[in-house]
Amino acid sequence: MARFAVRRAGAILAVSSFERSLAFYRDALGFELEAVYEDPPYATLVSAGARISLAEQGHPAEDRPGIALAAPADRGVASVVLVLEVDDAAEVHGRLAAEGVDFLAEPYRPPWGGVRFFCVDPDGYLVEIEQPA
């Protein structure tokens, strides 16, 4: 298999409401806005060296013919989970709860240690907030 140097890696999330998703990742989760474009709506954000981009669904692109980007149709089926490691998951949970973020359940303390919980972005993408053991 051929090897090549990767300068940066990330993911693009298709979103149904660009402004709502941008506010969630920037304001609630604290991602830093790196770039934003208007036509079509698209933004790149970074946190702890990780890069995600938000692309408003329904906009065709010449460089991906035949492929449409779409936000999850069923919030009960997860195909992507974004993981954020933090020092104090309980404190982060409290701050996000105060901002009205939706959670799947209360923070969980697995038998092997640490704490984690899952919140849901405006389109139903899962975000795991994890405090390692």
Coordinates of all heavy atoms in Angstrom, one line a residue, residues 28 36 54-55 57 59 62 77 80 82 88 99 106 117 124:
A28 N -21.5 26.1 22.3 CA -21.7 25.1 23.4 C -20.5 24.3 23.6 O -20.1 24.0 24.8 CB -22.9 24.2 23.0
V36 N -15.3 30.5 7.6 CA -16.7 30.3 7.3 C -16.9 30.9 5.9 O -16.3 31.9 5.4 CB -17.6 31.1 8.3 CG1 -17.3 32.6 8.3 CG2 -19.0 30.7 8.1
L54 N -18.6 21.9 8.8 CA -20.0 21.8 8.7 C -20.4 22.2 7.3 O -20.1 23.3 6.9 CB -20.7 22.7 9.8 CG -20.2 22.5 11.2 CD1 -20.8 23.6 12.1 CD2 -20.5 21.1 11.7
A55 N -21.2 21.4 6.6 CA -21.6 21.7 5.3 C -23.1 21.6 5.3 O -23.7 20.5 5.6 CB -21.0 20.7 4.3
Q57 N -26.6 20.7 4.1 CA -27.0 19.7 3.2 C -27.7 20.3 2.0 O -28.2 21.4 2.0 CB -27.9 18.7 3.9 CG -29.3 19.3 4.3 CD -30.1 18.2 5.0 OE1 -29.7 17.1 5.2 NE2 -31.3 18.6 5.3
H59 N -26.6 20.9 -1.2 CA -25.8 21.7 -2.2 C -24.9 20.8 -3.0 O -24.0 20.3 -2.5 CB -25.0 22.8 -1.5 CG -25.8 23.8 -0.7 ND1 -26.4 24.9 -1.3 CD2 -26.2 23.8 0.6 CE1 -27.1 25.5 -0.4 NE2 -26.9 24.9 0.8
E62 N -19.4 20.2 -7.9 CA -18.8 19.7 -9.1 C -17.7 18.6 -8.8 O -17.5 17.7 -9.6 CB -18.2 20.8 -10.0 CG -19.2 21.7 -10.5 CD -18.6 22.9 -11.4 OE1 -17.4 22.8 -11.7 OE2 -19.3 23.8 -11.7
V77 N -30.2 6.3 14.9 CA -29.2 5.5 14.3 C -28.0 6.4 14.1 O -28.0 7.4 13.5 CB -29.6 5.0 12.8 CG1 -28.5 4.2 12.2 CG2 -30.9 4.2 13.0
V80 N -21.8 8.2 13.1 CA -20.6 9.0 13.5 C -20.7 9.4 14.9 O -21.8 9.8 15.4 CB -20.5 10.3 12.6 CG1 -19.4 11.2 13.1 CG2 -20.3 10.0 11.2
L82 N -18.5 11.8 17.6 CA -17.4 12.7 17.8 C -17.0 12.5 19.3 O -17.9 12.6 20.1 CB -17.8 14.1 17.5 CG -16.8 15.2 17.8 CD1 -15.6 15.1 16.9 CD2 -17.4 16.6 17.6
D88 N -12.7 17.1 33.3 CA -13.7 17.0 34.3 C -15.1 16.9 33.6 O -15.7 17.9 33.3 CB -13.7 18.2 35.3 CG -14.7 18.1 36.5 OD1 -15.6 17.2 36.4 OD2 -14.5 18.8 37.4
E99 N -26.8 25.2 29.3 CA -27.0 25.8 27.9 C -28.2 25.1 27.2 O -28.4 25.4 26.0 CB -25.7 25.7 27.1 CG -24.6 26.6 27.7 CD -23.4 26.7 26.9 OE1 -23.5 26.6 25.6 OE2 -22.3 26.8 27.4
E106 N -27.6 10.5 31.9 CA -26.7 11.1 32.9 C -25.3 10.6 32.7 O -25.1 9.5 32.1 CB -27.2 10.8 34.3 CG -28.5 11.6 34.7 CD -28.4 13.1 34.6 OE1 -27.4 13.6 35.1 OE2 -29.2 13.7 33.9
F117 N -20.3 10.8 29.0 CA -21.7 11.0 28.7 C -21.8 11.3 27.2 O -20.9 11.7 26.6 CB -22.4 12.0 29.6 CG -21.8 13.4 29.4 CD1 -22.3 14.3 28.4 CD2 -20.8 13.9 30.2 CE1 -21.8 15.6 28.3 CE2 -20.3 15.1 30.0 CZ -20.8 16.0 29.1
G124 N -28.6 15.4 15.4 CA -28.6 14.0 16.0 C -27.3 13.3 16.0 O -27.2 12.2 16.4

